[in-house]
Every structure is written in C-alpha cells, then in structure tokens.
Amino acid sequence: MGPCDLRNIRQDLPYKEDPRVLAGAYYSDDAGIFRLNETTTLVQTVDFFPPMVNDPYDFGMIAAANALSDVYAMGGVPVTALNLVGFPSDLDAGILRDILRGGFDKATEAGAVILGGHTVVDKEIKYGLSVTGILPDKAFTPNSGARAGELLILTKPLGIGIITTAIKRDFAPVEVEKEAIFHMSRLNKNSSAVMMEFGAGAATDITGFGLMGHARNLAEGSGVSIRFYADKVPVIPGTRELLEKGAYPGGSKRNRQYADEAVFWHDSTDEQTRMIMTDAQTSGGLLICISPEKAEGLRQKLRETGETYSEIIGEVIPRGDTLLETE
Ligand code: CO
Ligand code: CO
C-alpha cells in the first residue's frame, strides 16, 4: 500500500492516549515504545512481506533483518521474536524450512530468541517477525527528535528496490545481486549501537517508503525541514545501469509521486538521483540525526565497524516552505 493511502486510513482510526506509550504508530514511527514499569521499557514492531530474492534462506535472513531493524532504529535491543508465515499448500516444505532457518540465524545474530510463531495457508509466500526489544537505558531515537543544525548520516547504500526488480526480471548481474543481498541481510545492530554510543537523538530506518518518504516522516514528526546533499547519497554500484534498463518498482513510483508534494528538487539533482532517493528499500540502513560536532566521528566509527558506505548526506534545518529539499 502506498504511503498516502496508509496515512488516510490511519487518520480514520481511533487512538487512545496512554501515558505509558512513549512513541507509537500514531506518530508514524518505526516501532512502539511502551514503559512497562520503572525499570523496563519495551520496543515492539512487526514486519512481513513476500520474497524479493530467489533463495529461500536469503529471503529468511532478509525478512528477519528487516523486521529487527525497526527496533534498532529506535535504539533498542531485540530480545524475543515470533515467526509470521504465509505459505502455499502445494509448495515443498523444504522451502519453508530454509526460510525459517534464515530467520533463525539472523535472530540469533541479533541476540533474540524466537519463541514460536504462526503459519497460515496463503497464495504466495510471506515471512517476517514480530519483535520485542528493550531499551537498555532510557534514551531512544524517535521520529520526533530531529533538531535544526543536526547532520544526517545514512548507513547503507540505496538501490535495493531497483536491483530486486531487476532480479525478478532476471537481468541483474550476479555481483550486483550479491551486493544487494549482503546489504539487505546485514543487521542494523552495529549502526544502532554506535549511534546510541554517540548520543543520537533521532533516527529512522529506510524501508518501503524510500529515503524521501521516511525523511518526510522524520521532518513532519520533528517540526523541521531537511536539506539533502544529493551527490553524497551512497548508491550500490550498478544501480544506475539497471535503472536505465527500466528496473523501477511500482512502490517506488508511488513513493516518487508522494515525495514530489513535499520535496523541492534542486535543478542539479538529476532524474536518476530523484528516482534512487525515492526507491523503495528492503531492510535499508539507518538515517541518523547527530549534532554537527559529533557527525564526522560517528561517520568514521560506523565505517570502521563495517558500515562502509556510511555518509553524511544532509542537514536538519528550521521548518521552511517544503519539508525536504536537495542541493
Ligand atoms: Co522502519
Ligand atoms: Co517497518
């Protein structure tokens, strides 16, 4: 579903105020934050979707990494998870075993325990996790925490939606496919730990709504605008070539339309870059807001610890005429 439809539906739903809810879907945030008692604050989220890669084990890893990511985007630590499965009755059960093995391995890497799950018969495969995490200290990184003057760091390169579309149509080069799978299945665990160590105040992960869609939520939630250095945005090598061959998913087209309402695109931001900045990601990186004094240190630490594409890609500015702009 497109970002716009979802927003309209959400507006029609009842919402119950509760002082224990510190962040939640009402703010279109990544995960809900719930203060259970004096000592424990929960982070909860759920995510599942159909396969975007061919190998069932890879898909399991990616779906789990993607679901765990919303906990990491809040600065939380995953503790438990439950499998959510849709599976066709006429498919080989070995496929499901491989998917679940991929999910198990990623949950284990995250330090989370899979307690169980639920499976329904479905026309197409779907897999994901519901995840419960905790906040180790009281700090967390909501969508509403961006402050003017801060810089923005993106921890993974863009291009996933374009590449997975090319994979589905069978024209993605093997090395490009491999790199996309590497990034999609990489946990945001380290990014999250490092940003909390540096005292980041806000973050979001980049998934289905693309960089601009998630940045828009961040800007709206925080009452600020965001300026992007479009030429600094990291992109998986090979993405532009696949874009030229026509690989652009429907979800990204909807994102682009939705973003265009909120973005002032500078003339120097070429059409391809605009498409990449609105491309729907699966298990993308974190977009982290950090004070300018700490930004370069954070970028370096991220790079040294494995987030090799980490880049300062923009800045938070006072609320202007448009929520987002490029330069
Ligand atoms: Co998210
Ligand atoms: Co999500």
Side-chain angles (χ1 to χ4, degrees):
M1 213 186 281
C4 203
D5 307 323
L6 209 54
R7 173 174 302 236
N8 292 339
I9 290 171
R10 208 179 269 144
Q11 274 166 1
D12 294 339
L13 289 175
Y15 178 73
K16 191 169 166 293
E17 291 284 342
D18 188 316
R20 295 168 298 177
V21 178
L22 306 186
Y26 185 73
Y27 306 100
S28 67
D29 220 324
D30 290 305
I33 306 260
F34 188 86
R35 181 162 291 154
L36 194 60
N37 55 43
E38 276 304 298
T39 50
T40 309
T41 305
L42 299 177
V43 189
Q44 291 192 290
T45 187
V46 58
D47 239 317
F48 59 100
F49 44 50
M52 76 302 296
V53 293
N54 298 317
D55 182 78
Y57 178 78
D58 286 344
F59 170 58
M61 285 201 301
I62 291 165
N66 181 74
L68 290 157
S69 175
D70 279 331
V71 172
Y72 290 131
M74 282 292 195
V77 173
V79 179
T80 61
L82 298 166
N83 286 318
L84 296 160
V85 181
F87 199 74
S89 51
D90 55 351
L91 275 188
D92 176 7
I95 296 173
L96 181 54
R97 191 184 54 229
D98 288 345
I99 293 172
L100 294 175
R101 217 162 38 83
F104 175 87
D105 284 353
K106 274 295 144 180
T108 304
E109 186 187 334
V113 179
I114 295 184
L115 297 176
H118 185 69
T119 305
V120 294
V121 175
D122 203 340
K123 280 201 204 77
E124 59 172 1
I125 297 173
K126 292 188 192 75
Y127 176 61
L129 296 176
S130 120
V131 186
T132 300
I134 51 161
L135 293 177
D137 52 57
K138 290 218 162 101
F140 63 104
T141 49
N143 257 345
S144 54
R147 299 290 170 257
E150 288 176 334
L151 296 178
L152 290 167
I153 296 182
L154 180 64
T155 65
K156 286 185 191 177
L158 301 181
I160 297 288
I162 293 160
I163 296 168
T164 53
T165 300
I167 293 173
K168 276 183 213 143
R169 295 194 204 149
D170 239 9
F171 65 85
V174 179
E175 66 283 3
V176 177
E177 175 176 351
K178 268 198 188 143
E179 178 147 16
I181 290 171
F182 170 81
H183 292 297
M184 284 189 281
S185 55
R186 182 166 177 83
L187 292 175
N188 283 325
K189 180 182 184 180
N190 177 62
S191 302
S192 178
V194 174
M195 82 169 173
M196 295 314 281
E197 178 195 320
F198 274 72
T204 181
D205 59 341
I206 307 303
T207 53
F209 300 156
L211 174 64
M212 294 315 240
H214 291 282
R216 180 180 180 168
N217 286 343
L218 187 69
E220 264 175 356
S222 304
V224 296
S225 288
I226 293 172
R227 178 181 297 144
F228 285 96
Y229 318 140
D231 58 336
K232 289 286 195 314
V233 173
V235 181
I236 298 173
T239 300
R240 287 175 188 273
E241 289 73 10
L242 295 175
L243 201 47
E244 263 155 34
K245 289 184 181 155
Y248 200 58
S252 302
K253 282 182 199 139
R254 283 194 295 275
N255 288 345
R256 175 66 195 278
Q257 286 164 1
Y258 177 70
D260 280 346
E261 301 167 12
V263 185
F264 172 78
W265 297 106
H266 193 272
D267 288 343
S268 64
T269 311
D270 61 64
E271 183 55 30
Q272 272 198 353
T273 304
R274 296 180 195 194
M275 291 171 88
I276 290 168
M277 289 176 78
T278 50
D279 182 36
Q281 306 297 286
T282 299
S283 191
L286 299 185
L287 182 67
I288 303 167
C289 301
I290 188 78
S291 66
E293 313 80 68
K294 293 182 188 163
E296 186 49 35
L298 174 54
R299 188 188 76 103
Q300 271 176 26
K301 179 80 187 266
L302 285 165
R303 286 191 166 223
E304 282 162 19
T305 52
E307 319 310 327
T308 54
Y309 278 88
S310 294
E311 196 55 81
I312 298 170
I313 64 160
E315 64 192 72
V316 184
I317 56 176
R319 173 62 64 80
D321 292 338
T322 51
L323 286 169
L324 309 174
E325 59 184 63
T326 61
E327 67 162 42

